[in-house]
Amino acid sequence: MAVGKISEGSVYYDKPSKINNFLSRKRMKPIKVGLLGLGTVGYGAFRVLARNQEEIQRRAGRCIDVTKVAVRNVERAGKLVDGVCEVTDNPLNVVMDPEIDIVVETIGGDDPTLELVLKAIDNGKHVVTANKALLAVHGNEIFTAARKANVMVAFEAAVAGGIPIIKALREGLTANRIQWIAGIINGTTNFILSEMREKGLDFDVALQDAQRLGYAEADPTFDIEGVDAAHKATIMSAIAFGVPVQFNKAYVEGISKLSSIDIKYAEELGYRIKLLGITRRTDIGIELRVHPTLILAKRLIANVEGVMNAVLVHGDAVGATMYYGKGAGAEPTASAVIADIVDITRLHTADQENRVPYLAFQHDALSSMPVLPIEQIRTSYYLRLRVADQTGVLAEITRILANQNISIDALLQKESREGEPQTDIIILTHETQEKFINSAISCIEALDTVFSQVTRIRMETLS
Ligand code: HSE
């Protein structure tokens, strides 16, 4: 089989005979892959593997064969795979198959996925998964089982879809003491926020648009309430700092309560609001949080719009690095899944000690650094208050902030409408601890001259 061309434009390709010689020298037993699920991700991987077979084989050094897929709808899957591999409706036929080397899990959720993944591991299969929820919640159990069974568990597709952020964190940045990560890691919410800002839409209308376009699910809760982003931030945090996965300690706040007026005021002050997954190393522990965040509009990451994802990683040696791309979709996710399959193919004969550790750090070198409760994080804040437009109101509010040792960075008072004795005040603070801002907000809300609750949005300088 001829592979490549002698030359094409200015690009030089190796002679076909040379490549064929290389492949025949490497004529090793194919790696056999079993797929659990043939939905968007599973079928995407199947298709890209078939389409780029030769290119992938030249990289992996051996053939990668999908030999079996387990699906609920055998008839539909039969048509999709068109006789290329066996189709079964029993996932145990994949995870127990002695011929299969790698099980690729693309079902999602944790029931029955956790059981299937653990069974596959018990049976000596390497596992590739795109399942962030599974890893963020059950990762420690899965990695312990995998270590015992001497198999690899790879999960590039679990965070930011096609962006190779796991590879970057685990390998490319391995020299660094990573200081913080901040990412737009949920495309659905980023699309909604872009729509709200660009078209001045309210959240509910933008969500309906996202659903109509197929970006948001019929039940969008996991995306809009920040849970999906928190799963991904949890995984990145573990890899960046060498701690176990601790989803239950993450602070999670979504965008469903975000008002378009705050997006507008933020813009007037030179900021954009993004749903960020943030994890940061501090002297007293790790911050792990997902929430709407004001970022200076001139920052590159503030200009990531629509369904795109981007992750900023700050390491002590390299400084800030940024990774951008599609965080979802059949082929971007397949790109990550197949990268994992190739990694496993290259390394599966290596000793455990010579493989890349699951969480980037050796298992006996994981740290017990605590994840901090949200009251202990330090950041700056945007506050919006509806107040009586009368003498002394601002003075009272600034006194409360001063009592909590909170310094004001900027202040904007909107002109009150004629005949209306109320107005909006927007305050940007310097960095403080969350517990101090909470105390200040309680005191401010108790004032007779302050109407309704104070809106509070965290801000990040990302510098
Ligand atoms: N639902 C996710 C998103 C993609 O909107 O980015 C899968 O994690």
Side-chain angles (χ1 to χ4, degrees):
M1 187 189 346
V3 180
K5 294 177 185 155
I6 305 295
S7 71
E8 194 172 83
S10 58
V11 182
Y12 177 80
Y13 290 88
D14 259 329
K15 288 185 179 143
S17 59
K18 197 170 157 195
I19 293 167
N20 283 335
N21 286 345
F22 159 78
L23 289 177
S24 57
R25 269 203 315 279
K26 292 239 168 197
R27 189 93 41 222
M28 290 189 271
K29 200 168 134 271
I31 281 281
K32 294 196 175 158
V33 173
L35 286 180
L36 297 178
L38 200 67
T40 306
V41 177
Y43 186 50
F46 181 86
R47 233 172 30 225
V48 176
L49 263 175
R51 189 174 74 228
N52 295 345
Q53 194 182 20
E54 287 180 354
E55 198 85 353
I56 292 166
Q57 186 174 345
R58 283 169 61 205
R59 292 190 171 114
R62 64 168 68 185
C63 190
I64 294 169
D65 283 347
V66 177
T67 57
K68 209 180 265 185
V69 299
V71 290
R72 247 184 285 176
N73 186 338
V74 172
E75 202 185 327
R76 174 187 164 271
K79 286 187 192 136
L80 294 177
V81 304
D82 198 20
V84 168
C85 65
E86 196 183 325
V87 178
T88 171
D89 64 359
N90 184 357
L92 291 178
N93 288 342
V94 170
V95 301
M96 313 284 274
D97 183 339
E99 292 292 309
I100 285 176
D101 303 295
I102 305 175
V103 170
V104 178
E105 182 276 307
T106 68
I107 303 173
D110 62 3
D111 182 23
T113 323
L114 176 62
E115 197 188 326
L116 291 172
V117 163
L118 291 175
K119 265 216 168 79
I121 289 171
D122 263 359
N123 276 285
K125 318 283 177 222
H126 304 289
V127 171
V128 173
T129 178
N131 193 332
K132 57 231 104 187
L134 184 74
L135 293 174
V137 178
H138 302 287
N140 303 323
E141 180 186 355
I142 291 170
F143 300 136
T144 303
R147 198 181 143 69
K148 210 165 119 206
N150 193 23
V151 296
M152 286 173 271
V153 176
F155 47 92
E156 184 63 74
V159 181
I163 304 175
I165 188 63
I166 301 294
K167 190 82 167 173
L169 286 170
R170 273 205 319 202
E171 298 175 51
L173 299 175
T174 202
N176 288 264
R177 190 174 156 82
I178 292 176
Q179 289 153 328
W180 53 261
I181 300 175
I184 295 173
I185 42 182
N186 183 270
T188 306
T189 44
N190 203 50
F191 173 83
I192 292 171
L193 292 175
S194 293
E195 290 281 288
M196 288 175 76
R197 187 182 66 79
E198 284 164 16
K199 302 184 181 161
L201 301 180
D202 283 335
F203 170 79
D204 292 338
V205 180
L207 171 60
Q208 279 165 18
D209 278 1
Q211 283 172 320
R212 194 170 34 79
L213 292 165
Y215 297 142
E217 316 234 353
D219 177 359
T221 314
F222 261 36
D223 288 323
I224 63 174
E225 297 307 345
V227 178
D228 175 76
H231 286 146
K232 295 167 184 167
T234 298
I235 295 169
M236 289 196 290
S237 180
I239 293 175
F241 305 124
V243 295
V245 284
Q246 299 170 78
F247 174 69
N248 58 349
K249 309 251 176 76
Y251 173 81
V252 190
E253 181 184 319
I255 62 164
S256 60
K257 301 204 170 54
L258 198 64
S259 158
S260 52
I261 191 77
D262 293 310
I263 294 179
K264 186 167 159 280
Y265 286 158
E267 188 138 49
E268 283 177 29
L269 289 157
Y271 290 83
R272 297 231 171 123
I273 300 181
K274 295 289 181 187
L275 183 72
L276 288 191
I278 297 169
T279 187
R280 172 180 282 125
R281 183 202 298 267
T282 77
D283 292 343
I284 54 169
I286 293 169
E287 295 184 1
L288 175 56
R289 49 193 167 101
V290 170
H291 49 70
T293 313
L294 264 82
I295 317 167
L296 274 173
K298 66 181 181 192
R299 294 261 179 273
L300 205 50
I301 196 166
N303 293 281
V304 171
E305 299 291 2
V307 291
M308 300 306 283
N309 281 199
V311 184
L312 259 172
V313 183
H314 197 281
D316 66 339
V318 73
T321 57
M322 185 162 145
Y323 309 82
Y324 171 84
K326 290 185 179 158
E331 297 212 354
T333 313
S335 164
V337 165
I338 295 167
D340 280 345
I341 296 174
V342 171
D343 259 0
I344 291 176
T345 302
R346 287 170 174 154
L347 282 173
H348 88 293
T349 53
D351 296 337
Q352 180 116 230
E353 284 65 32
N354 296 319
R355 294 175 181 162
V356 183
Y358 309 106
L359 292 178
F361 291 71
Q362 299 295 333
H363 83 106
D364 53 0
L366 290 186
S367 154
S368 57
M369 204 165 19
V371 174
L372 298 173
I374 190 70
E375 293 73 25
Q376 286 190 37
I377 68 135
R378 287 189 68 83
T379 191
S380 42
Y381 295 84
Y382 161 105
L383 306 176
R384 173 169 59 84
L385 304 78
R386 188 86 185 140
V387 300
D389 193 5
Q390 66 189 51
T391 314
V393 174
L394 201 52
E396 274 188 302
I397 292 166
T398 52
R399 182 183 46 76
I400 290 172
L401 290 171
N403 285 348
Q404 295 295 333
N405 214 9
I406 297 168
S407 165
I408 294 173
D409 182 34
L411 202 145
L412 175 70
Q413 176 168 351
K414 303 304 286 184
E415 230 175 321
S416 53
R417 279 193 238 127
E418 212 171 309
E420 197 180 27
Q422 298 182 5
T423 188
D424 280 341
I425 290 179
I426 293 97
I427 298 172
L428 305 186
T429 75
H430 282 296
E431 190 180 293
T432 181
Q433 208 176 44
E434 178 116 346
K435 68 177 177 191
F436 298 129
I437 208 86
N438 287 346
S439 303
I441 289 175
S442 301
C443 296
I444 292 171
E445 285 178 345
L447 296 174
D448 289 342
T449 47
V450 173
F451 309 115
S452 75
Q453 285 186 326
V454 174
T455 298
R456 170 257 308 275
I457 307 177
R458 299 172 187 86
M459 300 173 55
E460 290 295 327
T461 55
L462 305 180
S463 55

